Amino acid sequence: MSSPATERVCEMRWRGKQSEALLDATNALCVEGAFRASKTTICLWKEFNALKTYPGLRSILCRWTDDATLGLLRPVWRYVLDLAGEKVTWNGVEGYDEFSNGSRAYIRGLKASEQTSRYAKFRGLTLSRAYVDQAEEIPRDIYQELKARLSQNNFPHQIVISPNSVDEGHWIAREFP
């Protein structure tokens, strides 16, 4: 009978544009590309690395709706955590994964149930980072308001979006020419 492993090593190799995205430290990053181009995967690894590197960091991982966030994005996030051998504690009341170093990844959709409380899903959070998967689905004002939430003191700030390719008239094409 074999004994359980005492160490787990996860080695990821990224090349080209994916490697550039992983290392990018600009305030706003758009990882745009075709379907199945591993945009979500690279962006989640980017968030994971930041959460591990900076104890106490706060990030939000999101899509437009709660259903898409919890049903599509969170399982991929859990897979990344599993590959890394990272154990987190889920806080179901506030909707975040907490790392042993005190970092938190809030996981929620951005779409509020009422127009009068349009930004309610993320207002009140003090964040260092934000990752928006399928960002072509969100309105520009939501993106701008979320970007303005990146105010956690003593941490680097970055918003990362990963849309599928958009038309020239889309707000993402204007924001990231």
Side-chain angles (χ1 to χ4, degrees), residues 66-86:
D66 281 327
D67 286 347
T69 301
L70 300 177
L72 299 170
L73 183 61
R74 187 169 62 178
V76 180
W77 173 242
R78 293 286 193 263
Y79 182 66
V80 167
L81 294 173
D82 185 53
L83 284 175
E86 184 69 25

Side-chain angles (χ1 to χ4, degrees), residues 3-25:
S3 61
T6 57
E7 178 179 87
R8 182 171 184 173
V9 176
C10 177
E11 184 175 314
M12 304 296 290
R13 295 180 190 267
W14 305 96
R15 295 189 250 312
K17 294 291 183 186
Q18 292 173 332
S19 178
E20 289 175 28
L22 191 62
L23 299 173
D24 186 289

Side-chain angles (χ1 to χ4, degrees), residues 18-87:
Q18 292 173 332
S19 178
E20 289 175 28
L22 191 62
L23 299 173
D24 186 289
T26 57
N27 288 349
L29 173 64
C30 178
V31 181
E32 183 179 348
F35 294 105
R36 312 302 309 160
S38 72
K39 301 179 302 289
T40 302
T41 302
I42 188 69
C43 291
L44 288 174
W45 275 106
K46 185 173 184 63
E47 292 309 305
F48 173 81
N49 289 337
L51 289 156
K52 288 294 287 181
T53 301
Y54 300 100
L57 183 137
R58 305 291 188 258
S59 182
I60 187 170
L61 313 176
C62 54
R63 287 185 63 156
W64 180 231
T65 66
D66 281 327
D67 286 347
T69 301
L70 300 177
L72 299 170
L73 183 61
R74 187 169 62 178
V76 180
W77 173 242
R78 293 286 193 263
Y79 182 66
V80 167
L81 294 173
D82 185 53
L83 284 175
E86 184 69 25
K87 303 294 183 217

Side-chain angles (χ1 to χ4, degrees), residues 101-176:
N101 69 1
S103 292
R104 291 181 184 175
Y106 291 90
I107 304 171
R108 57 180 70 164
L110 298 176
K111 185 177 182 182
S113 58
E114 297 178 24
Q115 186 66 16
T116 56
S117 57
R118 189 162 172 79
Y119 311 115
K121 297 298 272 305
F122 54 90
R123 271 210 178 142
L125 297 179
T126 301
L127 302 166
S128 169
R129 303 181 56 81
Y131 168 53
V132 184
D133 189 43
Q134 301 295 308
E136 74 276 8
E137 298 174 351
I138 70 169
R140 184 175 192 205
D141 68 302
I142 298 290
Y143 166 80
Q144 291 172 322
E145 183 71 18
L146 183 58
K147 188 176 174 183
R149 299 292 333 150
L150 306 183
S151 60
Q152 187 180 9
N153 289 331
N154 303 315
F155 290 92
H157 301 151
Q158 186 177 48
I159 187 168
V160 178
I161 65 172
S162 62
N164 289 308
S165 296
V166 296
D167 295 330
E168 290 178 17
H170 196 280
W171 69 262
I172 291 174
R174 293 190 305 275
E175 186 80 21
F176 298 92

